[in-house]
Amino acid sequence: MYTKIKTDDEIAAMRVGGRILATVLAIIEKAGEAGATTKELATIAINELERLGGKPAFRGYGQPPFPDVLCVSINDEVVHGIPRISTVLRKGDIVSIDFGVIYEGMVTDGARSFIVGDATKQAKQLVATTEKALYAGIDTLKAGVRVGDIASAIQKVLTGGGLGIVRDLVGHGVGHSLHEEPDIPNYGFGGSGPVLQAGMTIAIEPMATLGTHAVTLDDDQWTVRTADGSLAAHFEHTILITPRGYEILTQI
Ligand code: MG
């Protein structure tokens, strides 16, 4: 389904859901200390989500059905890591948390990477540059923006930072379902691609590496990791396009 122009009521629901999502991600990040397991982070996510009145969007999604409410991806894992009681966070890890919320039937999607304790300068730069790329993409948004305008703004920041850009996974429309058309790649040419309109809601999500673009899929059929074993980072917001700009929905 191509992402639709949302009604005022639908946008209001996504605003609430997005705020819940951002609140939960902030709580998880605080809990993400050395010694915590990724399963503990997922348990916090579902408990806080239910306390705030939202429902999880990831559990049961896809084929095979994603088994949890939160994706937790560490170091060379790019996205879609499955929470496990056996996976323990260590000082210096890059932890990427990706969360989807349903509120009054509307879906929001958001992610961020953080570092456990302290890390190398390179790891810190990877995380900071990937976040900067997300905001560069967001800053292009207004009615009439083309997907290639977003993509090229993201690419410029990531390439400028000397990072690899993951190509196999992309941003997307969101709202009535978790993944709506069009795809929003993290590389491309300005002035190309579909035109987006005010009232559409999209998820922009740069995924970058300290190595190449190439990724592999684990035997669990979900965990995506860098083919060369390099570190990866991931940031994502759900954003409403407005006549003259945008509104980030997945923030507090
Ligand atoms: Mg997404």
Side-chain angles (χ1 to χ4, degrees), residues 92-135:
D93 281 346
I94 295 180
V95 182
S96 300
I97 46 177
D98 191 349
F99 196 40
V101 169
I102 304 171
Y103 186 81
E104 290 179 356
M106 299 302 290
V107 183
T108 49
D109 191 7
R112 54 182 299 107
S113 293
F114 65 91
I115 289 167
V116 180
D118 204 6
T120 63
K121 195 176 157 194
Q122 261 193 325
K124 284 192 266 193
Q125 194 223 345
L126 166 67
V127 171
T129 306
T130 308
E131 183 170 29
K132 193 174 154 202
L134 169 62
Y135 286 99

Side-chain angles (χ1 to χ4, degrees), residues 58 80 98 109-110 170-172 174 178-179 203-205 234 236:
F58 291 176
H80 304 164
D98 191 349
D109 191 7
V170 294
H172 49 91
V174 64
L178 183 58
H179 290 110
I204 300 180
E205 49 178 324
H234 176 214
E236 176 178 30

